Amino acid sequence: MSSIARLKIWRGLDRQAGRWETFEVPFEPGQSVLDGMRWIRVHRDPTLAIRFSCINANACKECMIELDGRTVYACTARLEPREMTLAPLSNKPLVRDLVTEIAPPAERFG
Amino acid sequence: MAHDVMQAEADVLVIGAGAAGMYAAIEAARRGADVFLIDRSLIGRGGATVMAQMTVAVALGAQVPDHWRHHLDDTLAAGRGLCSEPLARLLCQEGPECIRQMDAWGVGWARQDGHIAQAMAPGHDRPRCVYVDFLNTGPAVSKTLRTVVNKTNVRKAGDLCVVDLVRHDGAVAGAVALHLASGAPVVVSAKATVVATGGLTRLYRRNSASGNMGGDGYALALRAGTPLVDMEFVQFFPIGHLAPRLVGMDPIMWDPFRYKLGGRLLNNQGEEFAHRYGTAEDGKYVLTRDVATFGILQEVEAGRGSPHGGVYLSFEHCDEAALRAAFGPVIDRLAANNIDLTQMPVEVAPIAHYHMGGVQADARMHTEVPGLLVAGEAVGGANGANRLSGNAITEALVFGRRAGRSAAEAAQRMRAQALRLEDACEALDLLAADAPDRKINTAALVQTLQATMADDVGPLRSEAKLARALGTIEQLAGQLGARPAGDGQRFDPVRLDWLDLRNMLLVARVVTEAALRRTESRGAHQREDFSAMLDTWDVNQIVRLRGDRLAWSTPSRATEAAQ
């Protein structure tokens, strides 16, 4: 059975001037939400900004986003064949799309 | 969109905040240098260190008597005659000191009967590998070094991606970076610069390191005029996890299981096959990485592979209690992925893991270009044609410490910063590019490159595959173009991909040409059309960038030893 995950994603550079975009992603059991986001970048829209480093190991802890209003690591949250809402962390300064400023102040430039 | 140029300066600039970079920063600061530590990801989170699962090889003699010369003998044997002896010697000789220092800093090496535990790993003549349970070596090493960095006056910044090193009068005098969080270019002046950017695993489809290791440091060094060595030798980790799909675990996680529990490597007939490739296993984990990778791919080729194109790794002979004792919480994480090792094997296959090649350096970590030093996996030569299990973290610590010391000394010899803003104009011009109308799918280009490298420049190579890869790489470079795509605003993923591809395509070309030139099989470089290891190839290949051309040389190893 082929099914799809509908990822409704917040996009923008400014919290006040953002927009929601929905992408349909082919779903395979076992995939992570990060897999879905990376699929979108390759197959639909390379301009989608996401922050991650280790891809799958849950070692870098960089891929935190809000999934349906809950804070998750995109690499361990399972992709599901339904609509899923992805937003940047609401308690961190927005950088772009799903990327927020999560580094401690002493580890930032400027 | 044009940004104002931001500026910073330091005695020592360290690029890359994995184990090598952080240790270099700590050591340089300890010697009085004003240090700026930067990373394209976040400090201590990106790179390969954080991904290390278990072993760190070091002749501590805690488990059984040992001497660094035995570790050196094993390292040289694994390197199949191509190791740089001065570098390998440094790694083995200074390893114990760095490991004890890490212990004093509270890394938490696993203990057994009151001493640091040392496990047996393939290619070692005795138990030599220290580790942090459970599968936690990398995170513990990263966290410990980050804590120590935070106690020094080292300045640090993540989200700074270096675009190019900047030269003044032939010496490296700093770097131009893209500040991802703002989109602004940053010029950093430095009296000494340490490149600690790790390896190139991102060039391959399936890899075991972070998504940001696309060989940046090799490209930066080449363009700064310094040579690379041994670039054909990409290590594939033989038993990377393949199936069933598993989230929240590093694909090299099965190595620790094999250290502790042995495990059986089986083909689709349920047969052990290691003996066909020269090493019978007998329930023990003794296969070196190059032999295991070769054996697995031969089984797959012969139609004896698993459904997803690998082989099986089975722990079905182990009972639940033994698994729990060895791996505690990891067993629960596997259960959450519906994997019960007492009931089922998993599928494994080779996965790009580490690069033996890299920037040529002397035992002080200086490159040929004044002001430019290297550390960690970015350094080429210590591991020859095949790296021994456990040498990567040791190399990161030892080379990092040495580079930090040398960089502090080099900085002390310089009275003033040499960099002038006009030295940086080429890189700044690249970042000033404004091409909102250029629509190229940079993420798809990365994926095409990864597929090409995996299929044609993987562990089993031939002239036909390598020539085809060179064609694809050239074609991709044409699609990439000379001017960056993207809007250049903050955290622009297209701009970042473009800058990454500029490096990745150069490095991919270097690896492929090196592999095409080496008409023999040795260690991690296996040619289907030249299956024997040849004495005439008992040489290292050195490459320089001359304009747009790669210039190759193969100096005799006697010359190298005399230097």
Side-chain angles (χ1 to χ4, degrees), chain A residues 13 35 41 53 62 78 96, chain B residues 41 211 245 337 487 490:
Chain A
L13 285 152
D35 291 337
R41 287 209 63 234
S53 180
E62 291 188 9
R78 297 279 185 177
R96 183 189 194 128
Chain B
S41 175
R245 187 69 173 83
N337 280 283
D487 61 25
R490 57 182 184 268

Side-chain angles (χ1 to χ4, degrees), chain A residues 16-71:
Chain A
Q16 269 66 54
R19 63 191 186 277
W20 292 95
E21 287 182 8
T22 302
F23 298 90
E24 297 195 338
V25 176
F27 168 78
E28 279 174 43
Q31 281 179 306
S32 68
V33 170
L34 182 60
D35 291 337
M37 287 156 42
R38 294 170 64 218
W39 186 92
I40 291 169
R41 287 209 63 234
V42 172
H43 296 97
R44 293 291 178 268
D45 186 356
T47 70
L48 174 64
I50 52 184
R51 184 196 284 283
F52 69 96
S53 180
C54 79
I55 306 175
N56 193 57
N58 197 220
C60 73
K61 313 288 186 188
E62 291 188 9
C63 63
M64 280 185 292
I65 57 165
E66 286 184 9
L67 166 61
D68 299 330
R70 259 180 338 112
T71 300

Side-chain angles (χ1 to χ4, degrees), chain B residues 184-377:
Chain B
V186 180
V187 177
V188 185
S189 314
K191 295 175 180 170
T193 299
V194 179
V195 167
T197 47
L200 50 61
T201 39
R202 190 190 175 198
L203 295 183
Y204 289 87
R205 186 196 290 123
R206 275 170 36 81
N207 66 67
S208 67
S210 295
N212 41 34
M213 290 178 63
D216 312 19
Y218 308 134
L220 294 176
L222 266 185
R223 289 196 297 265
T226 211
L228 310 182
V229 62
D230 293 343
M231 289 299 285
E232 61 273 43
F233 296 107
V234 180
Q235 180 166 71
F236 282 76
F237 178 83
I239 51 169
H241 183 79
L242 181 62
R245 187 69 173 83
L246 180 54
V247 304
M249 305 288 290
D250 186 309
I252 64 166
M253 61 173 292
W254 298 116
D255 219 20
F257 278 77
R258 297 213 73 197
Y259 290 128
K260 288 194 175 182
L261 300 167
R264 301 173 69 213
L265 212 48
L266 306 169
N267 63 19
N268 68 9
Q269 311 294 304
E271 307 162 334
E272 292 191 270
F273 55 83
H275 60 276
R276 288 198 192 116
Y277 307 98
T279 316
E281 286 221 293
D282 280 340
K284 294 198 198 82
Y285 186 24
V286 294
L287 273 188
T288 55
R289 290 178 176 172
D290 52 353
V291 175
T293 293
F294 182 75
I296 290 169
L297 294 176
Q298 292 298 316
E299 289 297 305
V300 172
E301 194 103 321
R304 296 190 293 267
S306 64
H308 292 84
V311 295
Y312 293 105
L313 177 62
S314 169
F315 296 95
E316 291 159 284
H317 57 289
C318 300
D319 63 28
E320 170 78 21
L323 287 165
R324 279 228 167 254
F327 289 101
V330 181
I331 303 303
D332 298 319
R333 275 150 73 193
L334 287 170
N337 280 283
N338 299 315
I339 293 176
D340 178 352
L341 294 176
T342 63
Q343 300 298 319
M344 60 196 274
V346 292
E347 291 181 57
V348 295
I351 181 168
H353 182 54
Y354 174 87
H355 194 46
M356 271 71 76
V359 183
Q360 200 172 34
D362 63 21
R364 299 168 308 147
M365 299 296 128
H366 280 282
T367 68
E368 212 179 83
V369 173
L372 178 59
L373 298 93
V374 278
E377 190 176 349

Side-chain angles (χ1 to χ4, degrees), chain A residues 82-98:
Chain A
R82 61 174 176 90
E83 179 164 293
M84 304 178 92
T85 302
L86 314 185
L89 296 178
S90 50
N91 61 342
K92 299 282 180 191
L94 176 74
V95 179
R96 183 189 194 128
D97 296 349
L98 297 174

Side-chain angles (χ1 to χ4, degrees), chain B residues 449-488:
Chain B
L449 175 63
Q450 289 173 326
T452 292
M453 292 301 285
D455 295 340
D456 290 343
V457 199
L460 300 184
R461 301 160 171 182
S462 69
E463 185 177 342
K465 289 183 187 175
L466 294 167
R468 183 169 60 194
L470 280 177
T472 307
I473 292 165
E474 197 184 335
Q475 201 185 351
L476 291 171
Q479 289 176 42
L480 190 69
R483 301 292 293 166
D487 61 25

